[in-house]
Amino acid sequence: MTVAVYPGSFDPITLGHVDIVRRALRTFDQVVLAIGQNTAKAGRHLFDVETRVRLARESLAGIEGASVDVIPGLLASYCEQMGARAIIKGLRSGTDLDAEAPMALLNREIGGPETLFLVASPAYTHVSSSLVKDAARFGADITKFVTPTVATALRAANGKN
Ligand code: PNS
């Protein structure tokens, strides 16, 4: 049984994330979408962790081998505990690689597994949680970028339900 951990903030999960989970499942038996604490974003999340877990679970419902969890602390330790063979990350651009490469190296040096990068599908290279949140905040129709459950949550968060 091969397991990969797909870590991130997922505030909220987008269709780009769902696509990465589906594609990672062609190589791994199980992909755990794992919500971690990014100290740089602490206190700036739109959704609390419980809501992000629920939205991710509902968005991945029916995808065999996919699950959702919370990383209690260090990603490298969590991967060891899960017996994960790899960390999965999606790359939309060179900017993403610049941000991700140091994390991949650090995680490996502190005992984590290799990080494997999947290039984002062209349909999603411009889709990020931050842009979707911002567009939703100002009333844009974001149903092309997220699952219906996330679209509903974004409308509610912006007082438009
Ligand atoms: O979607 P993000 O915000 O880029 O995800 C960052 C995340 C959550 C994957 C990263 O901050 C993380 O792994 N946090 C867990 C704590 C940890 O292990 N930090 C060191 C990472 S090099």
Side-chain angles (χ1 to χ4, degrees):
M1 175 74 73
T2 54
V3 178
V5 167
Y6 176 30
S9 297
F10 303 107
D11 181 42
I13 186 171
T14 68
L15 291 181
H17 298 133
V18 175
D19 182 58
I20 294 289
V21 170
R22 284 187 189 281
R23 289 168 54 202
L25 279 167
R26 294 187 194 139
T27 305
F28 294 92
D29 298 314
Q30 289 194 353
V31 172
V32 184
L33 181 148
I35 299 177
Q37 297 169 44
N38 180 341
T39 34
K41 296 180 182 170
R44 294 196 286 121
H45 292 114
L46 178 61
F47 297 109
D48 60 26
V49 174
E50 293 71 28
T51 306
R52 283 183 268 154
V53 166
R54 176 179 64 80
L55 295 176
R57 286 209 173 116
E58 289 175 9
S59 297
L60 298 178
I63 303 179
E64 203 178 324
S67 60
V68 177
D69 199 4
V70 175
I71 306 169
L74 196 64
L75 172 60
S77 310
Y78 177 77
C79 288
E80 189 178 6
Q81 184 192 313
M82 297 297 286
R85 198 169 280 193
I87 294 167
I88 298 290
K89 288 281 183 110
L91 285 184
R92 288 162 302 193
S93 65
T95 310
D96 275 354
L97 179 61
D98 286 346
E100 295 296 343
M103 284 198 260
L105 291 172
L106 188 133
N107 279 323
R108 191 159 57 98
E109 284 176 26
I110 61 176
E114 291 286 357
T115 298
L116 303 182
F117 294 108
L118 296 188
V119 175
S121 297
Y124 301 118
T125 46
H126 58 304
V127 179
S128 69
S129 299
S130 312
L131 280 183
V132 168
K133 274 184 288 193
D134 208 47
R137 183 166 170 227
F138 294 107
D141 175 6
I142 41 72
T143 50
K144 266 198 283 192
F145 311 122
V146 295
T147 58
T149 188
V150 173
T152 302
L154 281 168
R155 274 195 296 273
N158 291 304
K160 295 192 178 70
N161 54 338

